[in-house]
Amino acid sequence: IKTSVLHDFHVKNNAKMVPFAGWTMPIQYKSLGIIDSHHHTRNKVSLFDVSHMLQFKVYGKDKESFIESMTVCDVKGLPENGGSLTVFTNAEGGIMDDAIINQTQQDYLYCVSNAGCSDKISTCLRENLIDFTAKGGEVVLELLDCGLLAVQGPKMAEVLQTGTDTDLSKLYFMQNVEANLFGVDCRITRCGYTGEDGVEISVAKNRAVELAENICSHEDVELAGLGARDSLRLEAGLCLYGNDIDEMTTPVEAGLTWCIGKRRRKEKNFPGAEKIVAQIKSKPSKRRSGLIVSSAIARNGAIVQDGNGNEIGSVTSGCPSPTLSANIAMAYLPLPLSKVGTEVNVLVRKRVVSAKVTKMPFVPANYFMNK
């Protein structure tokens, strides 16, 4: 089991540590329970350790083509210092992982993907690099060993602006910049996994604790763990790899069609393109849908039924929503039954519970957009 660069910092701050994706990570802290931590993030600002994520850089004149050979993103169309969510796909159109690809002023791509898929994606990158360069492509891959801090919440910019000369009011959602923050050089990307305004900060391992301590010294900042992270991302309608998306799920079925570049759809030169583009045109047989569950918490694996008791799907993620005071869930439903307002049933501990298909995100996003 791997430990984060902030492991001792978490222990010092009375974190409850649990195994997650091959790492030991904080699920919550003694100072705040999961629900209070969730509300604190929605109202003020929380610091999450996401150093377990895979970070890498891609250099060379063919770097965009290299990443496009594995993902659905229009990397060549990314503006300077701009980024996008994307997915790595397999030959059948299934999702190998989701990731964020960032173009930078420093003439390399900076990318972040999931901890649970790090071995798979690292292997994919290396194998494709051999093939790509053998065909004359010029590209260099650098896997990073850095800390990664997610600072999330509506007061994020107010807190961080006190520690940097970089004008955060000009850094919009899905933009990134190299900056000095509280005396520490880092890369700041305005993104996150909570639905709130926030940033992810890539920082050298030997400066990560120092930076975390400086951020946490602000009275509005609290540490948050995996517990609050999960309820926040579910309210935001965001996918957890291995639960809501996997290699048997296409981006169209997952409701991620928007991240497939128009040029990429036309060129159809990414893995699984024929199946994915065909689904865009003819619509998939199933779709990821949001559910409000009436009187019980429907967790991963709970069976979803139609009104006649026929099994039509299963819950991929579910939890009580602290913001809505309601039970929310996601499930893949047949297309005709995925329409908002459709009534279905969920089996929770052998009890039939009514549910209704609802629009996602469950809680409106609060991203800092360039208007």
Side-chain angles (χ1 to χ4, degrees):
I1 292 183
K2 302 174 186 177
T3 56
S4 159
V5 65
L6 293 178
H7 180 269
D8 292 344
F9 174 77
H10 297 313
V11 173
K12 176 184 173 184
N13 283 279
N14 298 307
K16 180 182 179 181
M17 309 298 289
V18 298
F20 179 78
W23 294 70
T24 178
M25 298 294 291
I27 189 168
Q28 67 180 91
Y29 296 82
K30 194 174 182 179
S31 57
L32 282 180
I34 292 173
I35 293 176
D36 287 339
S37 182
H38 179 110
H39 288 311
H40 187 86
T41 309
R42 288 271 182 253
N43 292 293
K44 293 185 179 180
V45 59
S46 296
L47 186 147
F48 300 81
D49 178 13
V50 289
S51 302
H52 57 314
M53 305 282 277
L54 175 65
Q55 302 179 69
F56 58 96
K57 294 179 180 178
V58 184
Y59 304 82
K61 73 178 185 67
D62 298 314
K63 58 186 180 296
E64 290 88 359
S65 295
F66 175 64
I67 292 296
E68 286 190 354
S69 72
M70 295 170 282
T71 72
V72 302
C73 184
D74 181 4
V75 185
K76 294 175 183 176
L78 289 176
E80 185 179 86
N81 284 351
S84 175
L85 177 72
T86 190
V87 291
F88 286 80
T89 50
N90 61 26
E92 291 74 43
I95 299 172
M96 294 179 64
D97 196 12
D98 57 320
I100 291 179
I101 310 296
N102 295 284
Q103 187 61 268
T104 71
Q105 277 186 321
Q106 292 71 36
D107 200 29
Y108 59 76
L109 300 175
Y110 166 66
C111 314
V112 181
S113 63
N114 287 303
C117 297
S118 60
D119 290 343
K120 176 173 66 175
I121 296 303
S122 296
T123 299
C124 176
L125 289 165
R126 291 189 180 105
E127 289 178 348
N128 278 277
L129 182 67
I130 293 170
D131 183 59
F132 192 85
T133 53
K135 294 176 181 176
E138 294 184 20
V139 64
V140 175
L141 171 68
E142 180 188 4
L143 299 180
L144 303 178
D145 186 17
C146 296
L148 190 63
L149 311 180
V151 185
Q152 301 283 299
K155 292 191 175 184
M156 176 279 300
E158 179 184 328
V159 169
L160 297 189
Q161 193 62 73
T162 63
T164 184
D165 291 334
T166 299
D167 187 354
L168 297 179
S169 70
K170 296 179 180 178
L171 184 71
Y172 299 104
F173 182 62
M174 297 308 296
Q175 291 184 337
N176 70 93
V177 65
E178 282 193 351
N180 185 280
L181 184 60
F182 296 107
V184 178
D185 291 332
C186 57
R187 176 170 297 282
I188 302 174
T189 306
R190 201 147 193 167
C191 65
Y193 198 50
T194 64
E196 291 297 330
D197 184 21
V199 296
E200 291 185 355
I201 306 166
S202 183
V203 57
K205 287 180 72 172
N206 64 346
R207 306 297 299 277
V209 172
E210 175 189 348
L211 182 57
E213 287 177 339
N214 278 321
I215 294 171
C216 288
S217 68
H218 194 285
E219 63 180 4
D220 286 331
V221 179
E222 292 283 353
L223 288 165
L226 295 170
R229 185 170 162 84
D230 193 55
S231 57
L232 288 159
R233 69 92 191 167
L234 185 49
E235 286 186 346
L238 301 173
C239 297
L240 176 64
Y241 192 87
N243 282 42
D244 311 301
I245 50 176
D246 55 30
E247 294 200 37
M248 302 301 292
T249 311
T250 72
V252 183
E253 294 165 345
L256 299 175
T257 304
W258 59 269
C259 74
I260 307 171
K262 291 183 179 179
R263 173 179 62 83
R264 306 305 311 283
R265 302 179 198 188
K266 184 176 180 180
E267 294 176 358
K268 293 192 283 190
N269 54 359
F270 54 86
E274 290 294 338
K275 179 176 180 178
I276 290 170
V277 172
Q279 282 189 342
I280 294 173
K281 292 178 179 178
S282 63
K283 296 186 179 181
S285 61
K286 62 180 180 179
R287 179 165 288 157
R288 181 170 61 93
S289 306
L291 296 174
I292 297 290
V293 186
S294 63
S295 59
I297 304 166
R299 302 287 189 184
N300 173 267
I303 300 300
V304 183
Q305 300 176 331
D306 63 15
N308 297 317
N310 301 308
E311 181 177 337
I312 57 171
S314 62
V315 169
T316 56
S317 288
C319 74
S321 163
T323 304
L324 302 176
S325 298
N327 297 311
I328 60 175
M330 292 194 291
Y332 282 85
L333 301 179
L335 201 61
L337 297 176
S338 65
K339 185 178 179 181
V340 172
T342 301
E343 294 184 355
V344 296
N345 294 318
V346 183
L347 280 178
V348 181
R349 293 183 294 278
K350 298 182 180 180
R351 185 163 62 96
V352 177
V353 178
S354 62
K356 185 176 286 189
V357 178
T358 189
K359 186 179 178 181
M360 290 190 292
F362 299 97
V363 174
N366 193 29
Y367 303 130
F368 186 65
M369 309 298 290
N370 186 356
K371 299 175 182 178

